[in-house]
Each structure stands twice: as structure tokens, then as C-alpha cells.
Amino acid sequence: TKLEGKWRKTGDLQSSQPPEILFIERCYQFLREGGKMAIVLPDGILGNPDLEYVRYWILQNNKVLASIDLPVEAFLPQVGVQASLLFLHRKTYEEKLMTTPPEYDVFMAIAEKVGKDRRGTPIYVRDEDGAELVFPKIIEELHKDAFGNRRIKQLKVYEREIDDDLPGIRENWQTMN
């Protein structure tokens, strides 16, 4: 129940709750104080005005470390849902008691490409004209020479690269921490 602009626990049982909301609470219960988790949530939980109490609960019990908006292709062709990836830190008892919690930075990013299209077909890096690019890669292979000695032979090959924003997002987040 919302009283005086804040959500308060009333002890009243809800007749039903969507499973994704119960999942958030269960994942939280598995964490110890100060523990961290990454969780994929449908964007409806993060944006639906009727679910403000869920976001309030998340913020009361967790520190949001990062929020990464995923494209709808992330789970296609099996599931077509707009989702976000949240990285959370479970607040300690002392952190929850703070009347004015300290301000902190939250890493936010939008992934526009996840290396596949809506049918699950891989998408490769292309130039501005639409041609697929190839990148040099060194492959090491173990060979035996004429005397039976094992030698590592390096081969230079050219391969296509999957067009995926997530590795770059990870690198950006790591440089900020």
C-alpha cells in the first residue's frame, strides 16, 4: 500500500503475483548480504506504472550497479520479449537502516545488436556499404616435424566477426569500475 508517497508493507496477502515478480524476490533470498546478482527482467516490470511497488522494493533492498537494455532479438526466435539486464548488490542491514542513502553511479547501456536477427541467423560486422568484413586471426596448431618432434605452427586466417554490442558494453563497464 502507498502511504504518504512511500510504499509500506501491510501484511495483507496478494491473491496472485506474476511469476517474474516472485522470481526477483526468490533470487534476492538466495543472496547473502552484500552479494551480487545479474537478472534478466521484462521491461514491463521496469516501466509499467502499476508495478511501481516492485521497483520500489528492488531499490529498498538492493543497490543497482548496472542496467543494460537488451534488443528484442536477444531471446528470439524462442521468446520475443523486450528485456533488460540488471546487476544488483544486496544491501546490508546497515545500508537499509540509512535514512538518506548515499548517492552512487549506475552504469547504463543500450545493446542494439546481439549478433543475430529475429530468426536466430547470425549477423556479422559489415562496412558502410553492407559488405561483411573479415578480420585476421592467429590460430596455433600442433604439428609433428619429419623427426617426430612436436611443434606449434601459427596460421593466419581471416574470419567474420559476430556483430554484438555486449562485449563492448562489458569492456566499458569494466573500465568504469
Side-chain angles (χ1 to χ4, degrees):
T1 307
K2 196 170 190 177
L3 300 170
E4 299 170 14
K6 290 189 175 183
W7 290 98
R8 303 220 188 264
K9 220 177 192 183
T10 62
D12 296 339
L13 291 177
Q14 297 279 332
S15 60
S16 68
Q17 241 354 293
E20 53 271 18
I21 293 172
L22 298 173
F23 181 71
I24 298 167
E25 184 176 15
R26 190 65 177 142
C27 290
Y28 171 82
Q29 291 168 351
F30 283 128
L31 281 179
R32 65 175 175 251
E33 284 188 9
K36 295 178 182 176
M37 78 165 143
I39 188 168
V40 176
L41 295 178
D43 281 353
I45 289 177
L46 301 175
N48 185 337
D50 293 337
L51 298 177
E52 181 184 354
Y53 69 96
V54 176
R55 295 184 297 278
Y56 178 81
W57 182 88
I58 290 172
L59 292 172
Q60 289 301 111
N61 293 289
N62 301 279
K63 185 172 146 182
V64 178
L65 303 174
S67 175
I68 301 168
D69 188 34
L70 300 173
V72 73
E73 292 86 8
F75 302 105
L76 284 173
Q78 288 79 19
V79 179
V81 64
Q82 191 70 38
S84 291
L85 181 56
L86 280 185
F87 291 86
L88 304 172
H89 162 87
R90 181 175 171 166
K91 289 182 180 178
T92 62
Y93 179 73
E94 292 78 20
E95 288 173 317
K96 285 184 185 180
L97 290 178
M98 292 181 184
T99 53
T100 55
E103 289 188 18
Y104 61 91
D105 292 331
V106 176
F107 178 82
M108 300 183 87
I110 298 172
E112 295 176 348
K113 301 171 280 188
V114 288
K116 61 181 181 169
D117 64 15
R118 291 178 169 267
R119 289 172 285 185
T121 306
I123 295 176
Y124 298 97
V125 176
R126 297 177 178 273
D127 66 15
E128 59 274 353
D129 295 326
E132 287 182 357
L133 298 175
V134 291
F135 300 90
K137 181 179 178 182
I138 302 295
I139 295 177
E140 293 183 343
E141 292 182 352
L142 187 61
H143 289 277
K144 287 185 181 180
D145 63 16
F147 303 105
N149 298 321
R150 293 179 182 199
R151 304 260 186 229
I152 294 178
K153 186 176 181 182
Q154 291 187 341
L155 301 170
K156 186 175 186 179
V157 296
Y158 292 89
E159 294 183 348
R160 299 178 296 178
E161 241 179 56
I162 296 287
D163 198 4
D164 185 358
D165 292 339
L166 294 175
I169 289 171
R170 182 192 69 229
E171 289 170 15
N172 287 335
W173 187 23
Q174 286 175 335
T175 59
M176 294 181 72
N177 290 324

